[in-house]
């Protein structure tokens, strides 16, 4: 499978059937609700295709990672509608991963519950009953019991009370845009011929470091940079390709 | 289905069952034509089946009685059950007002005349069904429009004052600790609603 | 009256007729307690009489069927008459519920009372229009606020239970039983990973 073939990856998901490329197009055109796309299903399809090969195709993996990162970024953005109001904040990486996994599992359950309700509705489609009063039912006189005006005042007091400060802990898992790091690395390379990736991202959160790494892969893919690493887990050095 | 278990099924029996079903879900009396159209049968056969139903659902034999009224046919309760029915419909002695109704009523009483969009803005949720319920109960009423072609505004009614034991809106409990005057109260409520992010 | 013509009247017969009358005029399912209060009889005798009614008003025997739904008892049309009923009435409550509406409904039914921000957090997208649509259809309703000035919370209504033919919310399947698919996916991934490693 070549890198290009990643885009032709055949998908057979609940919400979508067809090539990966088309899925991305539909999502970007807002014709497919991203919340309905099972990202795990896409990953499973890719891993299965990869397993058919004798040797790993790093080019295809890189391409796939970048596309999935874009998909996840879009999906993550959907979770946080008012991103402008939220400050960048570090969240313990383990907490973040746990929170995300938990939330995906919870959503899956409710999606299954919605499917159950849909089936139930279809099974009950031949059950008819009357809504509202019977045609010849006696009409009740229902005078409202005397009410206390203090209840009105306290209802307004409640509405005037400051809302409780909402817990934002679950919102703190935020993905900065990949483009942020593309610009940043290009700026660095316009000043210096090379830099050490690890040192450049040292002060960032784990989530930001991950996105920065994706930006690195993207620059490598389009041929703007070269990468070097003396040994696994050693610092990564970045050179301008020109 | 169970028809097979019966030695003889009267040919109109099935039609009669269909008509029973239509009558039990109808919210107004059904004419013979309406019954014939829904059951896709002939009006003569419908009349025969209605005769069968009338003999089954009659006073003394059943608690459900088929009644022929001006607009057509409808089921009603048997007369012998009149007292029980009266207890049923009177019984839910108004438990008072729901939270949604109370909040909407408070906004209208203190800030009225006020439109549905304004109420929704303060409450943070659509006010349509709460407003409709209060209008139906006669506690609030329309009071002109915001401007030509603008939204309808609502005010509290004399019935509202009676139910709440007030001789006028000026007798509403004071909210001086929240704001001076209704304009300040309104802007404070809108400001809080904005922070609630609703 | 006509009772005089009968040689033997079963003692629960009269109660059964009263309950039939109550059920045919009721606009929502009636609990055993409500039936007992309106008929001024004991709950045990009401249960016995309901058994009698259930055997008379059942599929295949009658066009009217007694069902246990939404925490009470109600008459509905027999299923065999569904096509005729469809020609008579629309079903606006359940027609065309979108995927978003069904997911929102599932969250409210299982977790209610629950606020819009909480629903949005689970579904990953804003729930405003889905919530408004479900309120409009009467499938969910406001149920107070989270706290003073907090967000409005919603719960599933008895109409929801009735439309979905549930005797109560406890009849919903356990969420854990519904989500077996995710385990399957995980093991499929692990299996593939294992093959690669070998």
């Amino acid at each position: 499978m070549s890198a290009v073939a990643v885009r032709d990856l055949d998908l057979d998901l609940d919400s979508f059937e067809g090539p990966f490329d088309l899925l991305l197009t539909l999502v970007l055109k807002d014709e497919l609700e991203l919340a309905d796309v099972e990202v795990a299903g896409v990953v499973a399809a890719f891993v299965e295709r990869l397993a058919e090969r004798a040797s790993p195709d790093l080019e295809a993996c890189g391409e796939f990672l970048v596309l999935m990162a874009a998909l996840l970024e879009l999906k993550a953005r959907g979770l946080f509608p008012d991103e402008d109001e939220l400050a960048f904040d570090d969240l313990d990486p383990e907490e973040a991963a746990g929170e995300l996994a938990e939330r995906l599992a919870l959503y899956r359950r409710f999606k299954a519950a919605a499917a159950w309700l849909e089936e139930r509705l279809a099974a009950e489609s031949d059950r008819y009953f009357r809504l509202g009063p019977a045609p010849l039912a006696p009409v009740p006189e229902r005078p409202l019991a005397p009410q206390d005006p203090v209840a009105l005042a306290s209802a307004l007091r409640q509405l005037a009370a400051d809302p409780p400060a909402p817990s934002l802990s679950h919102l703190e898992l935020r993905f900065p845009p990949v483009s942020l790091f593309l610009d940043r690395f290009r700026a660095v390379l316009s000043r210096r011929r090379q830099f050490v990736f690890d040192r450049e991202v040292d002060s960032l959160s784990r989530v930001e470091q991950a996105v920065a790494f994706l930006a690195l892969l993207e620059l490598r893919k389009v041929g703007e940079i070269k990468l070097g690493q003396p040994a696994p887990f050693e610092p990564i050095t970045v050179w301008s390709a020109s | 289905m169970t028809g097979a278990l019966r030695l003889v099924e009267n040919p109109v029996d099935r039609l009669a069952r269909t008509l029973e079903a239509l009558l039990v879900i109808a919210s107004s009396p059904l004419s013979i034509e309406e019954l014939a159209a829904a059951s896709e049968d002939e009006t003569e056969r419908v009349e025969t089946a209605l005769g069968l139903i009338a003999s089954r659902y009659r006073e003394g034999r059943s608690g459900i009685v088929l009644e022929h009224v001006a607009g057509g046919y409808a089921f009603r309760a048997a007369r012998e059950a009149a007292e029980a029915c009266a207890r049923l419909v009177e019984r839910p002695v108004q438990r008072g007002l729901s939270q949604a109704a109370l909040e909407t009523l408070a906004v209208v009483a203190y800030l009225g005349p006020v439109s549905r969009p304004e109420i929704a803005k303060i409450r943070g949720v659509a006010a349509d069904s709460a407003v409709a319920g209060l209008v139906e109960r006669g506690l609030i009423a329309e009071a002109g429009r915001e401007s030509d072609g603008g939204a309808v505004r609502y005010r509290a009614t004399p019935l509202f004052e009676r139910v709440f034991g007030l001789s006028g809106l000026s007798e509403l409990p004071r909210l001086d600790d929240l704001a001076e005057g209704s304009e300040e109260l309104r802007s404070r409520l809108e400001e809080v609603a904005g922070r609630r992010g609703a």
Side-chain angles (χ1 to χ4, degrees), chain A residues 22-190:
Chain A
L22 179 62
L23 173 84
L24 288 176
T25 310
L26 290 176
V27 164
L28 290 172
K29 287 167 131 182
D30 281 335
E31 282 170 24
L32 184 65
E33 186 67 68
L34 193 50
D36 294 338
V37 178
E38 306 154 81
V39 173
V42 182
V43 175
F46 177 73
V47 172
E48 272 178 4
R49 276 281 285 278
L50 212 57
E52 292 162 6
R53 295 176 52 95
S55 63
D57 181 340
L58 293 182
E59 192 81 3
C61 286
E63 161 113 20
F64 184 72
L65 267 179
V66 169
L67 290 175
M68 287 310 288
L71 205 59
L72 280 173
E73 184 182 325
L74 285 173
K75 197 159 178 164
R77 278 171 191 285
L79 291 170
F80 313 118
D82 2 296
E83 54 184 310
D84 296 341
E85 293 174 18
L86 298 168
F88 247 89
D89 215 339
D90 281 10
L91 184 66
D92 178 59
E94 267 180 36
E95 270 174 39
E99 169 77 29
L100 192 61
E102 216 168 89
R103 217 190 293 180
L104 285 175
L106 192 64
Y107 173 64
R108 249 191 112 76
R109 286 204 187 99
F110 283 107
K111 216 177 146 211
W116 185 86
L117 286 178
E118 195 172 15
E119 272 172 37
R120 181 87 183 187
L121 208 52
E124 299 296 317
S125 63
D126 58 355
R127 255 178 73 253
Y128 280 80
F129 53 86
R130 172 168 43 77
L131 285 172
L136 302 179
V139 181
E141 274 286 316
R142 282 193 209 174
L144 197 63
Q147 306 281 320
D148 187 354
V150 171
L152 294 172
S154 61
L156 274 198
R157 262 178 229 289
Q158 266 193 40
L159 283 176
D162 272 318
S167 160
L168 290 177
S169 63
H170 62 278
L171 294 178
E172 284 165 1
L173 177 64
R174 289 189 66 254
F175 294 84
V178 175
S179 59
L180 185 83
F181 292 99
L182 290 178
D183 295 346
R184 181 159 156 181
F185 293 152
R186 282 181 183 132
V188 173
L189 286 174
S190 68

Side-chain angles (χ1 to χ4, degrees), chain A residues 149, chain B residues 157-158 160-172:
Chain B
T157 61
F160 161 81
E161 292 171 16
R162 275 207 299 285
V163 166
F164 281 83
L166 305 165
S167 60
L169 291 180
S170 58
E171 270 186 36
L172 283 167

Side-chain angles (χ1 to χ4, degrees), chain B residues 63-80:
Chain B
I64 304 173
V65 172
L66 182 70
E67 178 87 20
H68 188 182
V69 291
Y73 292 83
F75 283 138
R76 65 165 169 84
R79 285 194 198 97
E80 63 172 342

Side-chain angles (χ1 to χ4, degrees), chain B residues 159-192:
Chain B
L159 175 63
F160 161 81
E161 292 171 16
R162 275 207 299 285
V163 166
F164 281 83
L166 305 165
S167 60
L169 291 180
S170 58
E171 270 186 36
L172 283 167
R174 301 190 71 83
L175 294 169
D176 295 344
D177 52 320
L178 292 181
E180 282 178 35
S182 67
E183 274 320 301
E184 198 183 320
L185 182 60
R186 179 189 297 232
S187 52
R188 168 153 184 181
L189 286 168
E190 285 178 359
E191 189 246 330
V192 172

Side-chain angles (χ1 to χ4, degrees), chain B residues 146-157:
Chain B
E146 283 176 333
S147 57
D148 278 1
V152 171
R153 297 157 93 184
Y154 297 87
R155 56 167 174 76
T157 61

